[in-house]
Amino acid sequence: MPAFALPFWFPRLRPPALPGRVLAGLGWLTTPLSPDDYLGLVDPLLSARHPAGVVTAVRPETADASTLVIRPGRGWAGYRSGQYVPVGAELDGAWHWRTYSLTSVPDAPGGDVTITIKADPRGKVSPYLVHRAPPGTVLRLGPAQGEFVLPDPPPARMLFVTAGSGITPVMGMLRTLAGRSGPAPDVVLLHSAPRPDACLFRAELAGLAARVPWLRLHLRYTRTAGRLTVGDIGALCPDRRAREIWACGPAGLLDVVREHLAWRNVAQERLHVESFRPAAPPAPAVGESGGRVRFGRSGVAAESPASVSLLETGESAGVPMPYGCRRGICFGCLVPLVDGRVRDLRTGGVHGEPGELIQTCVNGATGPLVLDV
């Protein structure tokens, strides 16, 4: 049981709207805290500074995956189909953050959102959320992120290539397309799963393909049919050159998609990728020397070269760093930044604000900084 769980009947209530000027006017009474801080103590769903949501239902999808229905509180800012959301769960008195794709339709009636999670047997957070988080559990919600999204309006022809839990952001897009008025685009979905009983959304996908004329569905079970190949893409979608392509899944699948595009001379700008593996980092800028990283809760400090990820630095210093990339689970390495700035090892861009969730596998130090881990 989490440290804070609302009564089961509470999720049916909606947090009241509170005008910003009313809260601002009360600020002088609550200094040094803000009125929002006190609202969050009374009810986490009333906080705008630390958005939260309450689990209203847990729906099993497979033996090791579930969909959580979440009712966001006052601070939730919305999302686009295909984006992911950082989720904080309180376990053993500490907040643990992971990131999951949103599988619901934005701005749906009632305002609930859904995330679909596959439990990692070696993990801590995902097994709890999949198997042991009851309705009434309060979760923290970060801002929705990601550019792997459904355009508005969508292109006339679309190809989705997914594997495993890579179907989750695409499921949100398909549900959004199914709820749109007017003509839908022509969509082909090539999805791979180990076995039928391990295929997320199998019944819903089959039902949708049978119900609407615009979706062509090809399910591949790798334990019997083997993994998707370059030739399979061409055979299953002969007009793929005319389509915009979205691919999401493990590195092996994305390599096949990229190889196919190069082989068929398909324009790279037609490809949208959500990867489970970070790209190779660029060389650090001349004169960049990294910085000293302090791991606040662990009480450890270490020098971190500019070209080394914060994840590697922490592990080398003996800090128990969260991670997921090596198991095909992206964004398992998120930790809050307390102070300082970081450098994105993929792009070279410098960023960081207090409280920002830092993906430690693809960010390095650029000067002294403190991480809450």
Side-chain angles (χ1 to χ4, degrees):
M1 177 67 67
F4 190 102
L6 296 174
F8 180 69
W9 49 264
F10 187 87
R12 299 175 185 169
L13 302 177
R14 299 294 298 178
L18 295 174
R21 61 177 176 271
V22 173
L23 295 179
L26 295 173
W28 66 275
L29 292 172
T30 62
T31 302
L33 299 177
S34 72
D36 189 88
D37 292 325
Y38 286 101
L39 286 173
L41 290 174
V42 174
D43 178 356
L45 300 191
L46 295 179
S47 175
R49 293 180 61 193
H50 305 288
V54 62
V55 176
T56 62
V58 180
R59 300 196 297 254
E61 298 287 349
T62 66
D64 61 353
S66 293
T67 290
L68 272 63
V69 183
I70 301 171
R71 179 154 299 171
R74 173 171 163 260
W76 176 246
Y79 63 102
R80 297 173 63 189
S81 291
Q83 288 191 306
Y84 54 85
V85 57
V87 174
E90 189 178 14
L91 300 174
D92 302 324
W95 287 97
H96 300 262
W97 288 88
R98 301 293 185 269
T99 303
Y100 303 105
S101 294
L102 290 148
T103 53
S104 47
V105 177
D107 302 320
D112 288 354
V113 303
T114 62
I115 55 175
T116 301
I117 305 168
K118 182 176 180 180
D120 177 359
R122 294 167 293 184
K124 182 173 185 177
V125 178
S126 61
Y128 166 74
L129 293 176
V130 170
H131 299 299
R132 302 192 301 278
T137 299
V138 173
L139 303 173
R140 293 269 181 88
L141 301 176
Q145 302 170 37
E147 299 301 321
F148 188 83
V149 296
L150 180 68
D152 187 17
R157 295 184 179 183
M158 306 172 70
L159 169 61
F160 294 115
V161 186
T162 60
S165 58
I167 187 65
T168 52
V170 170
M171 196 69 229
M173 297 185 198
L174 292 174
R175 287 169 172 165
T176 299
L177 290 172
R180 286 170 55 94
S181 58
D186 184 293
V187 177
V188 175
L189 170 59
L190 313 181
H191 178 60
S192 298
R195 306 174 310 277
D197 64 339
C199 181
L200 291 172
F201 314 117
R202 178 168 63 99
E204 183 178 353
L205 288 170
L208 182 62
R211 188 173 73 250
V212 300
W214 49 264
L215 174 62
R216 280 182 283 158
L217 172 66
H218 300 279
L219 297 178
R220 185 184 189 91
Y221 301 116
T222 56
R223 294 287 174 85
T224 54
R227 295 182 179 180
L228 192 75
T229 67
V230 170
D232 293 331
I233 297 177
L236 295 171
C237 187
D239 64 344
R240 67 270 184 204
R241 294 188 189 183
R243 295 178 180 271
E244 200 149 340
I245 302 171
W246 280 258
C248 184
L253 173 76
L254 301 183
D255 289 342
V256 167
V257 173
R258 291 190 179 99
E259 182 183 351
H260 174 79
L261 293 180
W263 182 44
R264 289 296 181 182
N265 197 28
V266 178
Q268 285 290 325
E269 57 266 23
R270 285 183 169 271
L271 176 63
H272 310 269
V273 169
E274 189 86 305
S275 176
F276 288 166
R277 181 183 64 185
V286 175
E288 220 174 335
S289 58
R292 187 167 182 80
V293 182
R294 184 160 60 86
F295 302 91
R297 282 189 282 136
S298 301
V300 174
E303 293 294 332
S304 184
S307 60
V308 175
S309 73
L310 298 170
L311 175 61
E312 294 175 273
T313 297
E315 290 179 331
S316 297
V319 177
M321 302 288 291
Y323 70 88
C325 314
R326 300 158 190 153
R327 302 194 294 266
I329 306 170
C330 204
F331 302 103
C333 63
L334 291 172
V335 300
L337 178 67
V338 176
D339 188 40
R341 306 268 281 172
V342 298
R343 172 180 173 269
D344 191 315
L345 298 177
R346 301 163 297 182
T347 66
V350 175
H351 64 99
E353 298 293 337
E356 180 179 340
L357 294 175
I358 300 299
Q359 197 176 351
T360 58
C361 72
V362 293
N363 283 285
T366 177
L369 60 96
V370 181
L371 295 176
D372 185 19
V373 64

